[in-house]
Amino acid sequence: MSKLLTIGSMAFDAIETPFGKIEKTMGGAANYIGISASLFDIEQAVVSVIGDDYPSEYLKVLTDREIDISYIEIVNGGKTFFWSGKYHNDMNTRDTLTTQLNVLEHFSPKIPEYFTDAPYIMLGNLHPQIQLDVLAQLPTRPKLVVLDTMGFWMNHTWDTLLKIIAQVDVITINDEEARQLSNECSLVKAAQKIMQMGVTYVVIKKGEHGALLFHEKDIFFAPALPLEDVFDPTGAGDTFAGGFLGYLAKTDDISFNNMKNAIIYGSTLASFCVEQFGTERMLSLTKDEVLKRLLQFKELTQFEIKIA
Amino acid sequence: MSKLLTIGSMAFDAIETPFGKIEKTMGGAANYIGISASLFDIEQAVVSVIGDDYPSEYLKVLTDREIDISYIEIVNGGKTFFWSGKYHNDMNTRDTLTTQLNVLEHFSPKIPEYFTDAPYIMLGNLHPQIQLDVLAQLPTRPKLVVLDTMGFWMNHTWDTLLKIIAQVDVITINDEEARQLSNECSLVKAAQKIMQMGVTYVVIKKGEHGALLFHEKDIFFAPALPLEDVFDPTGAGDTFAGGFLGYLAKTDDISFNNMKNAIIYGSTLASFCVEQFGTERMLSLTKDEVLKRLLQFKELTQFEIKIA
């Protein structure tokens, strides 16, 4: 069974959307990624940090999915990372209202020895130095390292960010971040520039407008499933990454053709994530529902062109 | 050979984009639609109105493509419709600087008798009363009528617009217009509401974010081809419509499955249109280039999912 190791934040989120408000829910990249990837039969460990205010029923969500949590550091007297945000009416843009790093500020992840040989590594959005430190703990080069990052690190830790980008295989960023990172408006040019920074695959997430996968001269595109309502986009990007990497780990095939499937799986899982607040929908999700929606994706995108 | 009849504007366009500026070029929906549909072996007539300031070399573009222009009315002493616009840096939004309707203001299209039996009708963006008058001249119901419209008619001629919508088979509008017409933010809900207005198929054009086709509960999506540069988006929507309808006319098959192909052809042709100013790129386009790009669309979107 393929091993997937995820390093990322665990958090309390407070979310406000045009549809409602939730004061405190389970959040953070590592949770979304772990839960999403758990839809595949793979071996998972999550490395993160929390305060002792973090409820054990949140941890149980991971252990129920047979995710190894033994290297999630619990800081005595520490407070868990807290994020709050408010979405605008179009659901495409949001304001971050609060970011309290708390215990995340001094996060120094330790990789379980029995996971240092994991072929699949997900570096969730964190300070790029932390991401570098993780790779430095691995005795051999993993098969595939996926990096997530955001604009904040481009503004504040540019040189360190460039170092980690040069050491990973795949970067997942949104369209705005791709433009910022490359200083190119065209996403095609942006992806080319980012590949020149040393990464082999670029995944650009465009939210409701789908996702693009770039590799050398190849491009693959998956739309977002058109939904009647997007209830809460929080975590959709991480859920996408979890589906992408979970599928690759399960199939253990990192060819471009198989990455197309991984993108479709990621998009499928993300389409569920946005249907309810936070992780709610992902927690009730069944494999049968996933299969049905994969077929919807096929219907939505596949054609048999006749030349006229 | 299937007949396609297009009613629409012919114009002088002045266009400014971040890449350059052109003071006077051939424009108008009928030109873009006719040129695009001429990539297919079909019989075409264009009905429009121009002033005697309209150069004969512009008309020759249509006759060179064996498009019947005998019912393009030439108003003596009249001035041709003039539009000028300026695109913003992101190329997704534009300001209309000038709209001089000129001879278009009193346009009263007369349908050639030998085209009243055309099974395929394209009603380009015009006053909805003119669109109604065209249909009233047809002795029998055509096989497929496609309607284009815009927000202006929603603001100023709502009741008339609803009448024409109820009489056509397909409406093509952009995402913003779909939201305005339906008063729904979700495009899925918007399309459902618009189908309730009496139209059987809804095509929502999202510019660089692709196009959606809705029919009952079915949805198909085609991305826009990711391009290094979008040079000038003018006419892309009409080029899309011309490709869509040209393909349907040529294959003479209006099943949902074949409409998927028509959407792909429309998107393919539109991806050329934006590469140069105005109609320039479409005028040099060859069938071989179209075929190559269709294959690119396949590469971009098609996958063979393996269930994991």
Side-chain angles (χ1 to χ4, degrees), chain B residues 10-13 23-27 31 48-60 72-83 100-104:
Chain B
M10 292 170 75
F12 291 123
D13 281 354
E23 292 294 345
K24 204 172 195 179
T25 186
M26 183 167 74
N31 278 321
S48 190
V49 63
I50 51 179
D52 56 10
D53 56 349
Y54 194 81
S56 57
E57 68 257 38
Y58 284 7
L59 287 173
K60 194 171 174 299
I72 295 175
E73 186 191 355
I74 304 172
V75 179
N76 280 325
K79 285 178 75 181
T80 299
F81 171 44
F82 173 71
W83 176 84
Q100 294 170 4
L101 285 179
N102 299 332
V103 296
L104 199 63

Side-chain angles (χ1 to χ4, degrees), chain A residues 67-142:
Chain A
I67 299 171
D68 187 309
I69 62 162
S70 43
Y71 280 66
I72 295 175
E73 185 191 355
I74 305 172
V75 178
N76 280 324
K79 286 178 75 182
T80 300
F81 171 42
F82 174 70
W83 176 84
S84 76
K86 184 179 170 170
Y87 289 86
H88 301 163
N89 277 332
D90 67 359
M91 300 297 268
N92 288 325
T93 48
R94 71 183 182 193
D95 292 328
T96 288
L97 304 178
T98 319
T99 306
Q100 294 171 4
L101 284 180
N102 300 330
V103 296
L104 200 62
E105 200 171 348
H106 301 289
F107 180 34
S108 172
K110 274 151 215 65
I111 307 307
E113 198 171 336
Y114 48 92
F115 255 87
T116 53
D117 63 347
Y120 296 93
I121 310 280
M122 177 72 217
L123 299 174
N125 173 36
L126 288 167
H127 192 301
Q129 186 57 54
I130 299 181
Q131 296 172 322
L132 281 167
D133 292 345
V134 168
L135 291 194
Q137 292 180 51
L138 307 177
T140 54
R141 183 72 175 77

Side-chain angles (χ1 to χ4, degrees), chain A residues 26-46:
Chain A
M26 183 168 75
N31 278 321
Y32 282 104
I33 294 163
I35 294 166
S36 178
S38 74
L39 269 299
F40 306 90
D41 289 321
I42 54 172
E43 214 177 318
Q44 276 200 82
V46 158

